[in-house]
Amino acid sequence: QIADNAMSEVKAGMSSGAAACYLVHKDPVNANLYADKAIAANPHYGDSYFFKAMAAKDLKRYQEVFPALDRYHDEYGYEPASV
């Protein structure tokens, strides 16, 4: 509820943090859901794409892994080859 009424950067950070927690607790469905919420709140919050990639891997949605990692690296200024 707090994240729903927060500024986009805070909302993205809180949702991204929730995604990370769900990954730690082996719940990739909710990790993916919260990564998507973070991306929707602020598409420039790079960590969200990392958690999206890890959730996609756990869900065996491999076609989503590398695009999410590419976007993660784009947000942090890495070269595509670093993926």
Coordinates of all heavy atoms in Angstrom, one line a residue:
Q1 N 0.8 -1.2 0.0 CA 0.0 0.0 0.0 C 0.9 1.3 0.0 O 0.5 2.2 -0.7 CB -0.9 0.0 1.2 CG -2.1 -0.9 1.1 CD -3.0 -0.9 2.3 OE1 -2.5 -0.8 3.4 NE2 -4.3 -0.9 2.1
I2 N 1.9 1.2 0.7 CA 2.8 2.4 0.8 C 3.4 2.7 -0.6 O 3.4 3.8 -1.1 CB 4.0 2.2 1.8 CG1 3.4 2.2 3.2 CG2 5.0 3.3 1.7 CD1 4.4 1.7 4.3
A3 N 3.8 1.6 -1.3 CA 4.4 1.8 -2.6 C 3.4 2.3 -3.6 O 3.7 3.1 -4.5 CB 5.0 0.5 -3.1
D4 N 2.1 1.9 -3.5 CA 1.1 2.4 -4.4 C 1.0 3.9 -4.5 O 0.6 4.4 -5.5 CB -0.2 1.7 -4.1 CG -0.2 0.2 -4.4 OD1 0.6 -0.2 -5.2 OD2 -1.1 -0.5 -3.9
N5 N 1.2 4.5 -3.3 CA 1.1 6.0 -3.3 C 2.4 6.8 -3.3 O 2.4 8.0 -3.1 CB 0.3 6.3 -2.0 CG -1.1 5.8 -2.0 OD1 -1.8 5.9 -3.0 ND2 -1.5 5.1 -0.9
A6 N 3.5 6.1 -3.5 CA 4.8 6.7 -3.5 C 5.2 7.3 -4.9 O 4.5 6.9 -5.9 CB 5.8 5.7 -3.1
M7 N 6.2 8.1 -4.9 CA 6.8 8.6 -6.2 C 7.3 7.4 -7.0 O 7.6 6.4 -6.4 CB 7.9 9.6 -5.9 CG 7.4 10.8 -5.2 SD 8.7 12.1 -4.8 CE 10.2 11.2 -4.8
S8 N 7.4 7.6 -8.3 CA 7.8 6.5 -9.1 C 9.1 5.8 -8.7 O 9.2 4.6 -8.7 CB 7.8 6.9 -10.6 OG 8.9 7.8 -10.8
E9 N 10.1 6.6 -8.3 CA 11.4 6.0 -8.0 C 11.3 5.1 -6.7 O 11.8 4.0 -6.6 CB 12.4 7.1 -7.7 CG 13.8 6.6 -7.5 CD 14.6 6.1 -8.7 OE1 14.1 6.3 -9.8 OE2 15.7 5.6 -8.5
V10 N 10.5 5.6 -5.7 CA 10.3 4.9 -4.5 C 9.5 3.6 -4.8 O 9.8 2.5 -4.3 CB 9.7 5.8 -3.4 CG1 9.3 5.0 -2.2 CG2 10.6 6.9 -3.1
K11 N 8.4 3.8 -5.6 CA 7.6 2.7 -5.9 C 8.4 1.6 -6.6 O 8.3 0.4 -6.3 CB 6.4 3.1 -6.8 CG 5.4 2.0 -7.1 CD 4.4 2.5 -8.1 CE 3.5 3.5 -7.5 NZ 2.3 3.9 -8.3
A12 N 9.2 2.0 -7.6 CA 10.1 1.0 -8.3 C 11.0 0.3 -7.3 O 11.2 -0.9 -7.4 CB 10.8 1.7 -9.4
G13 N 11.6 1.1 -6.4 CA 12.6 0.5 -5.4 C 11.9 -0.5 -4.5 O 12.4 -1.5 -4.2
M14 N 10.7 -0.1 -4.0 CA 10.0 -1.0 -3.1 C 9.6 -2.3 -3.8 O 9.7 -3.4 -3.3 CB 8.9 -0.3 -2.4 CG 9.3 0.8 -1.5 SD 7.9 1.7 -0.8 CE 7.5 0.6 0.5
S15 N 9.1 -2.1 -5.0 CA 8.6 -3.3 -5.8 C 9.8 -4.2 -6.2 O 9.7 -5.4 -6.1 CB 7.8 -2.8 -7.0 OG 6.6 -2.2 -6.6
S16 N 10.9 -3.5 -6.5 CA 12.1 -4.3 -6.9 C 12.6 -5.1 -5.7 O 13.0 -6.2 -5.8 CB 13.1 -3.3 -7.4 OG 14.3 -4.0 -7.9
G17 N 12.6 -4.4 -4.5 CA 13.0 -5.1 -3.3 C 12.1 -6.3 -2.9 O 12.6 -7.3 -2.5
A18 N 10.8 -6.1 -3.2 CA 9.9 -7.2 -3.0 C 10.2 -8.4 -3.9 O 10.2 -9.5 -3.5 CB 8.4 -6.8 -3.2
A19 N 10.5 -8.0 -5.2 CA 10.9 -9.1 -6.1 C 12.1 -9.9 -5.6 O 12.1 -11.1 -5.7 CB 11.1 -8.4 -7.5
A20 N 13.1 -9.1 -5.1 CA 14.3 -9.8 -4.6 C 13.9 -10.7 -3.5 O 14.4 -11.9 -3.4 CB 15.3 -8.8 -4.2
C21 N 13.1 -10.3 -2.6 CA 12.7 -11.1 -1.4 C 12.0 -12.4 -1.9 O 12.2 -13.5 -1.4 CB 11.8 -10.3 -0.5 SG 12.7 -9.1 0.5
Y22 N 11.1 -12.2 -2.9 CA 10.4 -13.4 -3.4 C 11.3 -14.4 -4.0 O 11.1 -15.6 -3.9 CB 9.3 -13.0 -4.3 CG 8.0 -12.5 -3.6 CD1 7.5 -11.2 -3.8 CD2 7.3 -13.4 -2.8 CE1 6.4 -10.8 -3.1 CE2 6.1 -13.0 -2.2 CZ 5.7 -11.7 -2.3 OH 4.5 -11.3 -1.7
L23 N 12.4 -13.9 -4.7 CA 13.4 -14.8 -5.3 C 14.1 -15.6 -4.2 O 14.3 -16.8 -4.3 CB 14.4 -14.0 -6.1 CG 13.9 -13.5 -7.5 CD1 14.9 -12.6 -8.1 CD2 13.6 -14.7 -8.4
V24 N 14.5 -14.9 -3.1 CA 15.2 -15.5 -2.0 C 14.3 -16.6 -1.4 O 14.8 -17.7 -1.0 CB 15.5 -14.5 -0.9 CG1 16.0 -15.2 0.4 CG2 16.6 -13.6 -1.4
H25 N 13.0 -16.4 -1.4 CA 12.0 -17.4 -0.8 C 11.5 -18.3 -1.8 O 10.5 -19.0 -1.6 CB 10.9 -16.6 -0.1 CG 11.4 -15.9 1.2 ND1 11.7 -16.6 2.3 CD2 11.7 -14.6 1.4 CE1 12.2 -15.8 3.2 NE2 12.2 -14.6 2.7
K26 N 12.1 -18.4 -3.0 CA 11.8 -19.4 -4.0 C 10.4 -19.3 -4.5 O 9.7 -20.2 -4.7 CB 12.1 -20.8 -3.5 CG 13.4 -21.1 -2.9 CD 14.5 -21.1 -4.0 CE 15.8 -21.6 -3.4 NZ 16.9 -20.7 -3.7
D27 N 9.9 -18.0 -4.7 CA 8.6 -17.7 -5.3 C 8.8 -16.9 -6.5 O 8.6 -15.7 -6.5 CB 7.8 -17.0 -4.2 CG 6.3 -16.8 -4.7 OD1 6.0 -17.0 -5.9 OD2 5.5 -16.4 -3.8
P28 N 9.1 -17.5 -7.7 CA 9.4 -16.7 -8.9 C 8.1 -16.1 -9.5 O 8.2 -15.1 -10.2 CB 10.0 -17.8 -9.8 CG 9.5 -19.1 -9.4 CD 9.4 -18.9 -7.9
V29 N 7.0 -16.6 -9.2 CA 5.7 -16.1 -9.7 C 5.6 -14.7 -9.2 O 5.4 -13.7 -9.9 CB 4.5 -17.0 -9.4 CG1 3.2 -16.2 -9.8 CG2 4.6 -18.3 -10.2
N30 N 5.6 -14.5 -7.8 CA 5.5 -13.2 -7.2 C 6.7 -12.3 -7.5 O 6.6 -11.1 -7.6 CB 5.2 -13.3 -5.8 CG 3.8 -13.5 -5.5 OD1 2.9 -12.9 -6.0 ND2 3.5 -14.5 -4.7
A31 N 7.9 -12.9 -7.6 CA 9.1 -12.1 -8.0 C 8.9 -11.5 -9.3 O 9.2 -10.3 -9.5 CB 10.3 -13.0 -8.0
N32 N 8.4 -12.2 -10.3 CA 8.1 -11.7 -11.6 C 7.0 -10.6 -11.6 O 7.2 -9.6 -12.2 CB 7.7 -12.8 -12.6 CG 7.5 -12.4 -14.0 OD1 8.5 -12.0 -14.6 ND2 6.3 -12.4 -14.5
L33 N 6.0 -10.8 -10.8 CA 4.9 -9.9 -10.7 C 5.5 -8.5 -10.1 O 5.2 -7.5 -10.7 CB 3.8 -10.4 -9.7 CG 2.7 -9.4 -9.4 CD1 1.8 -9.2 -10.6 CD2 1.9 -10.0 -8.2
Y34 N 6.3 -8.6 -9.1 CA 6.8 -7.4 -8.5 C 7.9 -6.7 -9.3 O 8.0 -5.5 -9.4 CB 7.2 -7.6 -7.0 CG 6.0 -7.5 -6.1 CD1 5.3 -8.7 -5.9 CD2 5.6 -6.3 -5.6 CE1 4.2 -8.6 -5.1 CE2 4.5 -6.2 -4.8 CZ 3.8 -7.4 -4.5 OH 2.6 -7.3 -3.8
A35 N 8.6 -7.5 -10.1 CA 9.6 -6.9 -11.0 C 8.8 -6.1 -12.1 O 9.2 -5.0 -12.5 CB 10.4 -8.0 -11.7
D36 N 7.7 -6.7 -12.6 CA 6.9 -6.0 -13.6 C 6.3 -4.7 -13.0 O 6.2 -3.7 -13.7 CB 5.8 -6.9 -14.1 CG 6.3 -8.0 -15.1 OD1 7.4 -7.8 -15.6 OD2 5.5 -9.0 -15.3
K37 N 5.9 -4.8 -11.7 CA 5.3 -3.6 -11.1 C 6.4 -2.5 -11.0 O 6.2 -1.3 -11.2 CB 4.8 -3.9 -9.7 CG 3.5 -4.6 -9.7 CD 3.0 -4.8 -8.2 CE 1.7 -5.5 -8.2 NZ 1.1 -5.4 -6.9
A38 N 7.6 -2.9 -10.7 CA 8.7 -2.0 -10.6 C 9.0 -1.3 -11.9 O 9.2 -0.1 -12.0 CB 10.0 -2.7 -10.0
I39 N 9.1 -2.2 -12.9 CA 9.3 -1.7 -14.3 C 8.2 -0.7 -14.7 O 8.5 0.3 -15.3 CB 9.5 -2.8 -15.3 CG1 10.8 -3.6 -14.9 CG2 9.5 -2.4 -16.7 CD1 10.9 -5.0 -15.6
A40 N 7.0 -1.0 -14.4 CA 5.9 -0.2 -14.8 C 6.0 1.2 -14.1 O 5.7 2.2 -14.6 CB 4.6 -0.8 -14.5
A41 N 6.4 1.2 -12.8 CA 6.5 2.4 -12.0 C 7.6 3.3 -12.5 O 7.5 4.5 -12.6 CB 6.8 2.0 -10.5
N42 N 8.7 2.7 -12.9 CA 9.9 3.5 -13.4 C 10.7 2.6 -14.3 O 11.5 1.8 -13.8 CB 10.7 4.0 -12.2 CG 11.8 5.0 -12.7 OD1 12.3 4.9 -13.8 ND2 12.3 5.8 -11.8
P43 N 10.6 2.7 -15.6 CA 11.3 1.8 -16.5 C 12.8 2.0 -16.5 O 13.6 1.3 -17.2 CB 10.7 2.1 -17.9 CG 10.0 3.4 -17.7 CD 9.7 3.6 -16.3
H44 N 13.3 3.0 -15.8 CA 14.8 3.3 -15.7 C 15.4 2.8 -14.4 O 16.5 3.1 -14.1 CB 15.0 4.8 -15.9 CG 14.6 5.3 -17.2 ND1 15.2 4.9 -18.4 CD2 13.6 6.0 -17.6 CE1 14.5 5.4 -19.4 NE2 13.6 6.1 -18.9
Y45 N 14.6 2.1 -13.6 CA 15.1 1.5 -12.4 C 15.8 0.2 -12.7 O 15.1 -0.9 -12.8 CB 14.0 1.4 -11.3 CG 14.5 1.2 -9.9 CD1 14.7 2.3 -9.1 CD2 14.7 -0.1 -9.4 CE1 15.2 2.2 -7.8 CE2 15.2 -0.2 -8.1 CZ 15.4 0.9 -7.3 OH 15.9 0.8 -6.0
G46 N 17.0 0.2 -13.0 CA 17.8 -1.0 -13.6 C 17.7 -2.3 -12.8 O 17.6 -3.3 -13.4
D47 N 17.7 -2.3 -11.5 CA 17.7 -3.5 -10.8 C 16.5 -4.3 -11.0 O 16.5 -5.6 -11.0 CB 17.8 -3.2 -9.3 CG 19.2 -2.7 -8.8 OD1 20.1 -2.7 -9.7 OD2 19.3 -2.3 -7.7
S48 N 15.4 -3.7 -11.4 CA 14.1 -4.4 -11.6 C 14.3 -5.4 -12.8 O 13.7 -6.5 -12.8 CB 13.0 -3.5 -12.0 OG 12.9 -2.5 -11.0
Y49 N 15.1 -5.1 -13.8 CA 15.3 -6.0 -14.9 C 16.2 -7.2 -14.5 O 16.0 -8.3 -15.1 CB 16.0 -5.2 -16.0 CG 15.1 -4.1 -16.6 CD1 15.2 -2.8 -16.2 CD2 14.0 -4.4 -17.5 CE1 14.4 -1.8 -16.7 CE2 13.2 -3.4 -17.9 CZ 13.4 -2.1 -17.5 OH 12.5 -1.2 -18.0
F50 N 17.1 -7.0 -13.6 CA 17.9 -8.1 -13.1 C 16.9 -9.1 -12.4 O 17.0 -10.3 -12.7 CB 19.0 -7.7 -12.1 CG 19.8 -8.8 -11.6 CD1 20.8 -9.4 -12.4 CD2 19.5 -9.3 -10.4 CE1 21.5 -10.4 -11.9 CE2 20.3 -10.4 -9.9 CZ 21.3 -11.0 -10.6
F51 N 16.1 -8.6 -11.5 CA 15.1 -9.5 -10.8 C 14.2 -10.2 -11.8 O 13.8 -11.3 -11.6 CB 14.4 -8.8 -9.7 CG 15.4 -8.3 -8.7 CD1 15.4 -7.0 -8.2 CD2 16.4 -9.1 -8.2 CE1 16.3 -6.5 -7.3 CE2 17.3 -8.6 -7.2 CZ 17.2 -7.3 -6.8
K52 N 13.8 -9.4 -12.8 CA 12.9 -9.9 -13.9 C 13.6 -11.1 -14.6 O 13.0 -12.2 -14.8 CB 12.6 -8.8 -14.9 CG 11.8 -9.3 -16.1 CD 10.4 -9.5 -15.8 CE 9.6 -9.8 -17.1 NZ 8.2 -10.2 -16.8
A53 N 14.9 -11.0 -14.9 CA 15.6 -12.0 -15.6 C 15.7 -13.3 -14.7 O 15.6 -14.4 -15.2 CB 17.0 -11.5 -15.9
M54 N 16.0 -13.1 -13.4 CA 16.1 -14.2 -12.5 C 14.8 -15.0 -12.3 O 14.8 -16.2 -12.3 CB 16.7 -13.8 -11.1 CG 18.1 -13.2 -11.2 SD 19.3 -14.3 -11.9 CE 19.5 -13.7 -13.6
A55 N 13.7 -14.2 -12.2 CA 12.4 -14.8 -12.1 C 12.1 -15.6 -13.4 O 11.6 -16.7 -13.3 CB 11.3 -13.8 -11.8
A56 N 12.3 -15.0 -14.5 CA 12.1 -15.6 -15.8 C 12.8 -16.9 -15.9 O 12.3 -17.9 -16.4 CB 12.4 -14.7 -17.0
K57 N 14.1 -16.9 -15.5 CA 14.9 -18.1 -15.5 C 14.3 -19.2 -14.7 O 14.1 -20.4 -15.1 CB 16.3 -17.9 -15.0 CG 17.2 -19.1 -14.9 CD 18.4 -18.9 -14.0 CE 18.2 -18.5 -12.6 NZ 17.9 -19.5 -11.7
D58 N 13.8 -18.9 -13.4 CA 13.2 -19.8 -12.5 C 11.9 -20.4 -13.1 O 11.5 -21.5 -12.8 CB 13.0 -19.2 -11.2 CG 14.3 -19.0 -10.4 OD1 15.4 -19.5 -10.9 OD2 14.3 -18.3 -9.4
L59 N 11.2 -19.5 -13.8 CA 9.9 -19.9 -14.4 C 10.1 -20.6 -15.8 O 9.1 -21.0 -16.4 CB 9.0 -18.7 -14.6 CG 8.6 -18.0 -13.4 CD1 7.9 -16.6 -13.7 CD2 7.5 -18.9 -12.6
K60 N 11.4 -20.8 -16.2 CA 11.7 -21.5 -17.4 C 11.2 -20.7 -18.6 O 10.8 -21.3 -19.7 CB 11.3 -22.9 -17.4 CG 12.0 -23.7 -16.4 CD 11.6 -25.2 -16.4 CE 12.2 -26.1 -15.3 NZ 12.9 -25.6 -14.2
R61 N 11.1 -19.4 -18.5 CA 10.7 -18.5 -19.6 C 12.0 -17.9 -20.2 O 12.2 -16.7 -20.1 CB 9.7 -17.5 -19.1 CG 8.4 -18.2 -18.7 CD 7.4 -17.4 -17.9 NE 7.3 -16.0 -18.1 CZ 6.5 -15.2 -17.4 NH1 5.7 -15.7 -16.4 NH2 6.4 -13.9 -17.6
Y62 N 12.8 -18.8 -20.7 CA 14.1 -18.4 -21.1 C 14.2 -17.3 -22.2 O 15.1 -16.5 -22.2 CB 14.9 -19.6 -21.6 CG 15.0 -20.7 -20.5 CD1 14.3 -21.9 -20.7 CD2 15.6 -20.5 -19.4 CE1 14.4 -22.9 -19.7 CE2 15.7 -21.4 -18.4 CZ 15.1 -22.6 -18.6 OH 15.2 -23.6 -17.6
Q63 N 13.1 -17.2 -23.0 CA 13.1 -16.1 -24.0 C 13.0 -14.7 -23.4 O 13.3 -13.7 -24.1 CB 11.9 -16.3 -25.0 CG 10.6 -16.0 -24.5 CD 9.9 -17.1 -23.6 OE1 10.6 -18.2 -23.3 NE2 8.7 -16.9 -23.2
E64 N 12.7 -14.6 -22.1 CA 12.6 -13.3 -21.4 C 13.9 -13.0 -20.7 O 14.1 -11.8 -20.3 CB 11.5 -13.3 -20.5 CG 10.1 -13.5 -21.1 CD 9.0 -13.6 -20.1 OE1 9.1 -13.0 -19.0 OE2 8.0 -14.2 -20.4
V65 N 14.8 -13.9 -20.5 CA 16.0 -13.7 -19.7 C 16.9 -12.7 -20.3 O 17.3 -11.7 -19.7 CB 16.7 -15.0 -19.4 CG1 18.0 -14.8 -18.6 CG2 15.8 -16.0 -18.5
F66 N 17.4 -13.0 -21.5 CA 18.4 -12.1 -22.1 C 17.9 -10.7 -22.4 O 18.6 -9.7 -22.2 CB 19.1 -12.8 -23.3 CG 20.0 -13.8 -22.9 CD1 19.7 -15.2 -23.0 CD2 21.2 -13.5 -22.3 CE1 20.6 -16.1 -22.6 CE2 22.1 -14.4 -21.8 CZ 21.8 -15.8 -22.0
P67 N 16.6 -10.5 -22.9 CA 16.1 -9.1 -23.1 C 16.1 -8.4 -21.8 O 16.5 -7.2 -21.7 CB 14.7 -9.3 -23.6 CG 14.8 -10.6 -24.3 CD 15.7 -11.5 -23.5
A68 N 15.8 -9.0 -20.7 CA 15.8 -8.3 -19.4 C 17.2 -8.0 -18.9 O 17.5 -6.9 -18.5 CB 15.1 -9.2 -18.3
L69 N 18.1 -8.9 -19.2 CA 19.5 -8.6 -18.8 C 20.1 -7.5 -19.7 O 20.9 -6.7 -19.3 CB 20.4 -9.9 -18.9 CG 20.2 -10.9 -17.8 CD1 21.0 -12.2 -18.1 CD2 20.5 -10.3 -16.4
D70 N 19.7 -7.5 -21.0 CA 20.2 -6.5 -21.9 C 19.7 -5.1 -21.4 O 20.4 -4.1 -21.3 CB 19.6 -6.7 -23.3 CG 20.3 -7.7 -24.1 OD1 21.5 -8.1 -23.7 OD2 19.7 -8.2 -25.1
R71 N 18.4 -5.0 -20.9 CA 17.9 -3.8 -20.4 C 18.6 -3.4 -19.1 O 18.9 -2.2 -18.9 CB 16.4 -3.9 -20.3 CG 15.7 -2.6 -19.9 CD 15.9 -1.6 -21.0 NE 15.4 -0.3 -20.5 CZ 14.2 0.2 -20.7 NH1 13.3 -0.5 -21.4 NH2 13.9 1.4 -20.2
Y72 N 18.8 -4.4 -18.3 CA 19.6 -4.1 -17.0 C 20.9 -3.5 -17.4 O 21.3 -2.4 -16.8 CB 19.8 -5.4 -16.3 CG 20.7 -5.4 -15.1 CD1 20.4 -4.8 -13.9 CD2 22.0 -5.9 -15.2 CE1 21.2 -4.7 -12.8 CE2 22.9 -5.9 -14.2 CZ 22.5 -5.3 -13.0 OH 23.4 -5.2 -11.9
H73 N 21.7 -4.1 -18.3 CA 23.0 -3.5 -18.7 C 22.8 -2.1 -19.3 O 23.7 -1.3 -19.1 CB 23.7 -4.5 -19.5 CG 24.3 -5.6 -18.8 ND1 24.0 -6.9 -19.0 CD2 25.1 -5.7 -17.7 CE1 24.6 -7.7 -18.2 NE2 25.3 -7.0 -17.3
D74 N 21.8 -2.0 -20.1 CA 21.6 -0.7 -20.8 C 21.4 0.4 -19.7 O 21.9 1.5 -19.9 CB 20.3 -0.7 -21.7 CG 20.6 -1.4 -23.0 OD1 21.7 -1.8 -23.3 OD2 19.5 -1.7 -23.6
E75 N 20.7 0.1 -18.7 CA 20.4 1.1 -17.6 C 21.7 1.5 -16.9 O 21.8 2.6 -16.4 CB 19.3 0.7 -16.6 CG 17.9 0.6 -17.2 CD 17.5 1.9 -17.8 OE1 17.7 3.0 -17.2 OE2 16.8 1.9 -18.9
Y76 N 22.6 0.6 -16.8 CA 23.9 0.8 -16.1 C 25.0 1.2 -17.0 O 26.2 1.3 -16.5 CB 24.2 -0.4 -15.2 CG 23.3 -0.4 -14.0 CD1 22.3 -1.3 -13.9 CD2 23.5 0.5 -12.9 CE1 21.5 -1.4 -12.7 CE2 22.7 0.5 -11.8 CZ 21.7 -0.4 -11.7 OH 20.8 -0.4 -10.7
G77 N 24.8 1.2 -18.3 CA 25.8 1.7 -19.2 C 26.8 0.6 -19.7 O 27.8 1.0 -20.2
Y78 N 26.5 -0.6 -19.5 CA 27.4 -1.7 -19.9 C 27.2 -2.0 -21.4 O 26.1 -1.7 -22.0 CB 27.1 -3.0 -19.1 CG 27.3 -2.9 -17.6 CD1 26.5 -3.6 -16.8 CD2 28.2 -2.0 -17.1 CE1 26.6 -3.5 -15.4 CE2 28.4 -1.9 -15.7 CZ 27.6 -2.7 -14.9 OH 27.8 -2.6 -13.5
E79 N 28.2 -2.6 -22.0 CA 28.1 -2.9 -23.4 C 27.3 -4.2 -23.5 O 27.3 -5.1 -22.6 CB 29.5 -3.1 -23.9 CG 30.4 -1.9 -23.9 CD 29.8 -0.8 -24.8 OE1 29.4 -1.1 -25.9 OE2 29.8 0.4 -24.4
P80 N 26.6 -4.4 -24.7 CA 25.9 -5.6 -24.9 C 26.7 -6.9 -24.7 O 26.2 -7.9 -24.3 CB 25.3 -5.5 -26.3 CG 25.3 -4.0 -26.5 CD 26.4 -3.4 -25.7
A81 N 28.0 -6.8 -25.1 CA 28.9 -8.0 -25.0 C 29.0 -8.5 -23.6 O 29.4 -9.6 -23.3 CB 30.2 -7.7 -25.6
S82 N 28.8 -7.6 -22.6 CA 29.0 -8.0 -21.2 C 27.9 -8.9 -20.7 O 28.1 -9.6 -19.7 CB 29.1 -6.8 -20.3 OG 27.8 -6.1 -20.2
V83 N 26.8 -9.0 -21.4 CA 25.7 -9.9 -21.0 C 26.2 -11.3 -21.2 O 26.0 -12.1 -20.4 CB 24.5 -9.6 -21.9 CG1 23.4 -10.7 -21.6 CG2 23.9 -8.3 -21.7

